[in-house]
Amino acid sequence: MERLRFAAIFLALAATGGGAAFSATNAPAVQTDADLTTARLLAAMLQSARGVISAHQDEINDPARGDKHLTGDVVLKEATARFQTQTGTDVATIDPTSYAGRLLHAQMDSIVEVMDANQATINQEGIGFKGFIPATFARLVNEAFERRVGNEARIKVTAPPQLVRNRQSRPDAWEIATIDGRFETKDWPKGELFAEVTGEGADRRVRVAVPEYYSQSCLSCHGAPQGELDITGYPREGAALGDLGGVISIQLLPQ
């Protein structure tokens, strides 16, 4: 997926332990810069951890190997290294008591939980494809994260409706409007997120959508030829490199 462009933002965050000032021309009515920074942190960590699972897919699906040594701690270590490369920030420098830090640590704990809970599947010998793919991993992490933080935040990976394979990942009305009215328009800057405050009173939320685009590794399941079944048993979408393939949708309580 296309790398998010925000290393300088996170360097500022690391220095302050809170929000970092930056411009976001496509983020009207966002209450604080800290909200966007928090959303970017969470998106980057999810992408980093998912990238670890993608990098180890051949290993996970090797029927001749037992223990893959992909424990929660191992995956988290690799994910935080990727996170630092992507964002320019060492997660250890982010204040764990800040709003962003608390949510990020809940997310990291969720990564460890999901990996440790799925060791029997990952390490099962005699079976090739395990079904433990990046998309499944991300969904499980997001569910574990929501159990930890409750109403404070929610993360979901969705996509244009015609690309959604899991009904639980279907876009809601706001996400559909963002995809159709922004990410799929010709003049939308590639990789630019969209954010706004929605709702009133107890329903008020900062909603942030981060577009993701098909990379070469994604096309092994989502590319051509369209209609042919991929390793998961789903028909390929016939996507091309760089097409919009998904959206990380984040909801936060306004700070």
Side-chain angles (χ1 to χ4, degrees), residues 36-190:
L36 287 183
T37 301
T38 298
R40 289 179 185 269
L41 276 167
L42 295 171
M45 183 58 74
L46 183 64
Q47 289 175 322
S48 297
R50 192 177 54 191
V52 174
I53 303 305
S54 178
H56 287 283
Q57 274 297 285
D58 288 345
E59 187 179 342
I60 291 171
N61 292 329
D62 185 349
R65 292 191 58 178
D67 191 351
K68 312 300 194 305
H69 303 290
L70 288 174
T71 63
D73 288 341
V74 168
V75 170
L76 182 61
K77 183 177 180 180
E78 291 189 26
T80 54
R82 284 173 175 258
F83 175 89
Q84 183 166 352
T85 298
Q86 179 171 327
T87 66
T89 296
D90 182 348
V91 70
T93 66
I94 300 172
D95 180 2
T97 66
S98 68
Y99 180 62
R102 287 190 296 103
L103 292 182
L104 186 64
H105 279 273
Q107 187 182 42
M108 295 189 319
D109 288 344
S110 299
I111 291 167
V112 173
E113 175 189 326
V114 169
M115 290 307 302
D116 288 348
N118 284 276
Q119 288 298 296
T121 297
I122 293 167
N123 296 325
Q124 188 170 3
E125 295 182 67
I127 294 179
F129 179 63
K130 307 293 196 305
F132 194 76
I133 59 176
T136 300
F137 166 77
R139 176 178 57 79
L140 293 173
V141 168
N142 291 340
E143 290 171 355
F145 173 78
E146 191 169 352
R147 289 194 296 271
R148 279 180 163 79
V149 303
N151 193 46
E152 193 169 11
R154 185 183 182 207
I155 308 172
K156 169 185 171 185
V157 180
T158 187
Q162 71 276 13
L163 300 179
V164 173
R165 293 183 172 190
N166 187 319
R167 290 176 60 85
Q168 296 179 35
S169 301
R170 289 178 298 181
D172 63 21
W174 183 88
E175 291 157 348
I176 289 173
T178 300
I179 291 168
D180 291 345
R182 294 176 175 86
F183 296 159
E184 291 192 325
T185 60
K186 292 187 298 183
D187 58 349
W188 188 263
K190 194 167 186 178

Side-chain angles (χ1 to χ4, degrees), residues 17-29:
F22 62 99
S23 61
T25 56
N26 293 306

